[in-house]
């Protein structure tokens, strides 16, 4: 008879630092090795959003540990495949003085744990602290290690080399050139320079499961004078490179129009006229919201798109659905588009999204909207980044969906002071 394995004991005994993460990137468990290397207790870590527990070192302007690790975890969620991370610098705070960070270098692998439905249910994050080796190389000598530890390190390096060799071979056999083009196209078309000025804005982009790494959904953030900025999302019918090409043209046109016209309605009018000349652009949808930080107004207009949601701290949700018009290019003659205004209070959160977030086959859209608002009501205290991850996880979409998804989350704050 095969003895029953105590997997909790196995996890606790692992010599490598390991975390178990939910699909919302909240820490579900940490083994003693991880607690020892980070100086945190298991009780301190469990239940925390990973990137609230481990932020970038604010004293290091080049710190990119959060962005690099987050990108790896999202690759695991979208692909359902393990993701190997190279050597990276990710400083951690000293246990007794959380304001002071200590230099740390790591290698890591993020491994999905699939549920009964074949979707990612958990992620195992296994890391190795390489700080001593990195610092030793700087001074041209290696630290002394025991023969057993040296053998273990050699075995680990050999295993990693074999894994990388296997992955490289798979990549060569998986239409590498097409994938490189797709990734480059995605990055170029979704590049949003103004986003860097908005730490309280989070964006997400998930192509449909089984699709290439590009899709017809998009997001954009545009800064305007006098303490105003716009956020927008849009959706082109179809998937893959064809839809992505149309998406790129429409997104660029809307971004340019936004900088030259008074408001969202006029910007979508320009975009609708432009869409008539683009093959594949008819029936595309979009919504844009102008955020006026001084007057605390949301000015919006929609071209056939699902309504944005304004989430209040008490969990109540308002649908911004008072300025909805047909999709881009749907009317044979030009008609001015409607525009509506809503107020917001500091602490509210604005969510824009494409229909892949709410629509399910054989289900009425109202059911999807109800599911969305009910889920948002449980996320009122989250930061924009945490809310974006939690929303996808709680809607069962962290590993992707049958349709493309683009989403923008804006934590609305206080009126900015004049410079």
């Amino acid at each position: 008879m095969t003895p029953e394995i105590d997997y909790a004991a196995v996890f606790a005994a692992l010599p490598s630092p390991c975390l178990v993460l939910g699909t919302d990137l909240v820490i579900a468990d940490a083994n003693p090795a991880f607690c020892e290397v980070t100086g945190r207790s298991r009780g301190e870590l469990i239940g925390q959003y990973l990137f609230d527990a481990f932020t970038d070192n604010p004293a290091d302007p080049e710190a990119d540990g959060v962005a690099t690790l987050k990108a790896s975890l999202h690759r695991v969620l979208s692909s359902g495949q393990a993701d190997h991370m190279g050597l990276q610098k990710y400083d951690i705070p000293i246990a007794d003085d959380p304001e002071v960070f200590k230099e740390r270098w790591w290698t890591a692998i993020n491994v999905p744990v699939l549920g009964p439905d074949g979707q990612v249910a958990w992620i195992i994050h296994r890391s190795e602290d390489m700080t001593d080796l990195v610092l030793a190389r700087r001074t041209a000598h290696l630290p002394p290690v025991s023969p057993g530890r040296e053998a273990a390190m050699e075995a680990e390096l050999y295993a990693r080399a074999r894994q990388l060799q296997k992955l490289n071979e798979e990549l060569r056999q998986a239409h590498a050139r097409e994938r490189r083009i797709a990734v480059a196209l995605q990055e170029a078309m979704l590049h949003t320079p103004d986003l860097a000025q908005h730490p309280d804005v989070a964006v997400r982009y998930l192509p449909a499961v089984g699709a290439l790494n590009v899709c017809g959904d998009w997001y954009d953030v545009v800064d305007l004078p006098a303490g105003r900025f716009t956020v927008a999302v849009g959706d082109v019918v179809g998937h893959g490179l064809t839809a992505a090409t149309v998406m790129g043209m429409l997104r660029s046109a809307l971004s340019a129009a936004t900088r030259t016209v008074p408001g969202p309605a006029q910007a979508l009018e320009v975009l609708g006229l432009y869409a008539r000349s683009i093959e594949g652009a008819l029936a595309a949808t979009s919504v844009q919201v102008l955020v006026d930080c001084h007057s605390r107004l949301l000015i919006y207009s929609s071209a056939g798109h699902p309504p944005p949601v304004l989430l209040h701290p008490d969990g109540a949700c308002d649908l911004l659905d008072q300025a909805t018009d047909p999709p881009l290019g749907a009317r044979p003659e030009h008609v001015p588009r409607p525009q509506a205004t809503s107020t917001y209070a500091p602490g509210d959160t604005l969510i824009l999204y494409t229909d892949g977030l709410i629509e399910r086959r054989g289900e009425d859209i109202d059911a999807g909207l109800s599911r969305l608002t009910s889920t948002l009501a449980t996320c009122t205290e989250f930061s924009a980044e945490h809310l974006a991850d939690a929303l996808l996880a709680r809607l069962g979409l962290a590993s992707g969906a049958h349709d493309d998804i683009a989403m923008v989350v804006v934590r609305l704050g206080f009126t900015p002071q004049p410079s």
Side-chain angles (χ1 to χ4, degrees):
M1 181 177 178
T2 303
E4 184 175 346
I5 299 175
D6 185 346
Y7 286 102
V10 172
F11 179 72
L14 290 173
S16 294
C18 293
L19 288 177
V20 179
L21 302 173
T23 54
D24 55 358
L25 306 187
V26 169
I27 300 171
D29 206 351
N31 73 346
F34 188 92
C35 295
E36 180 180 358
V37 78
T38 60
R40 306 283 188 92
S41 70
R42 184 169 175 270
E44 289 177 301
L45 293 172
I46 292 178
Q48 279 216 67
Y49 180 57
L50 177 61
F51 300 110
D52 287 343
F54 297 100
T55 62
D56 276 329
N57 183 354
D60 182 359
E62 298 183 356
D64 62 354
V66 168
T68 303
L69 177 54
K70 185 178 293 183
S72 174
L73 293 170
H74 281 295
R75 284 195 294 271
V76 174
L77 289 170
S78 62
S79 70
Q81 301 293 321
D83 192 79
H84 297 257
M85 301 181 64
L87 185 69
Q88 72 167 107
K89 184 173 182 288
Y90 198 142
D91 299 342
I92 59 173
I94 297 175
D96 297 332
D97 191 352
E99 300 299 320
V100 178
F101 282 67
K102 191 169 184 178
E103 182 178 353
R104 281 288 184 270
W105 291 84
W106 312 85
T107 60
I109 177 175
N110 297 306
V111 181
V113 178
L114 304 183
D117 59 355
Q119 301 297 310
V120 177
W122 306 97
I123 298 177
I124 304 296
H125 169 73
R126 192 195 80 180
S127 56
E128 294 289 349
D129 187 354
M130 308 298 289
T131 307
D132 289 343
L133 290 174
V134 172
L135 298 183
R137 288 188 180 280
R138 290 180 184 170
T139 56
H141 70 274
L142 295 176
V145 295
S146 66
R149 177 58 177 163
E150 184 176 6
M153 290 170 63
E154 289 177 354
E156 173 71 13
L157 290 172
Y158 178 75
R160 290 291 181 90
R162 291 295 302 271
Q163 290 170 338
L164 289 173
Q165 183 180 11
K166 180 182 177 182
L167 287 172
N168 285 334
E169 182 61 27
E170 290 175 350
L171 286 174
R172 281 193 293 269
Q173 296 175 358
H175 309 292
R177 180 175 179 274
E178 187 176 21
R179 290 182 180 274
R180 287 197 301 270
I181 293 172
V183 172
L185 183 63
Q186 169 198 335
E187 292 176 350
M189 291 192 297
L190 290 179
H191 181 58
T192 308
D194 292 347
L195 183 60
Q197 310 304 317
H198 296 274
D200 290 330
V201 177
V203 296
R204 294 292 183 270
Y205 165 90
L206 282 76
V209 173
L212 202 56
N213 292 333
V214 292
C215 67
D217 290 13
W218 84 84
Y219 58 78
D220 198 19
V221 178
V222 175
D223 281 335
L224 298 172
R228 301 173 303 148
F229 67 95
T230 67
V231 288
V233 293
D235 185 356
V236 172
V237 176
H239 307 287
L241 287 171
T242 299
T245 302
V246 176
M247 172 271 282
M249 291 187 285
L250 294 181
R251 181 180 181 272
S252 297
L254 180 60
S255 186
T258 298
R259 291 168 164 83
T260 60
V261 297
Q266 293 85 358
L268 289 180
E269 285 182 35
V270 173
L271 187 64
L273 292 171
Y274 178 64
R276 295 183 192 177
S277 64
I278 304 298
E279 184 177 354
L282 296 183
T285 67
S286 183
V287 62
Q288 186 181 76
V289 181
L290 188 154
V291 181
D292 189 322
C293 300
H294 290 288
S295 60
R296 296 179 187 168
L297 289 177
L298 302 176
I299 305 168
Y300 64 93
S301 184
S302 173
H305 203 83
V309 179
L310 184 63
L311 171 66
H312 302 293
D314 63 358
C317 292
D318 296 330
L319 299 180
L320 304 187
D321 58 1
Q322 299 303 302
T324 300
D325 217 30
L328 300 172
R331 286 199 176 106
E333 296 182 1
H334 172 63
V335 176
R337 291 190 177 271
Q339 183 168 281
T341 301
S342 178
T343 59
Y344 72 85
D348 288 347
T349 304
L350 176 66
I351 301 95
L352 285 72
Y353 54 93
T354 54
D355 56 12
L357 189 71
I358 59 171
E359 289 187 350
R360 304 292 184 271
R361 292 174 181 173
E363 182 180 83
D364 187 88
I365 191 172
D366 289 337
L369 286 170
S370 177
R371 180 172 51 246
L372 172 62
T373 55
S374 297
T375 304
L376 285 171
T378 68
C379 305
T380 56
E381 300 299 321
F382 295 167
S383 66
E385 291 286 345
H386 189 181
L387 189 151
D389 287 331
L391 185 58
L392 291 172
R394 296 179 186 185
L395 291 176
L397 301 171
S399 301
H402 295 295
D403 196 5
D404 308 323
I405 298 173
M407 178 170 60
V408 180
V409 177
V410 185
R411 285 282 284 176
L412 297 162
F414 293 88
T415 305
Q417 298 299 316
S419 56

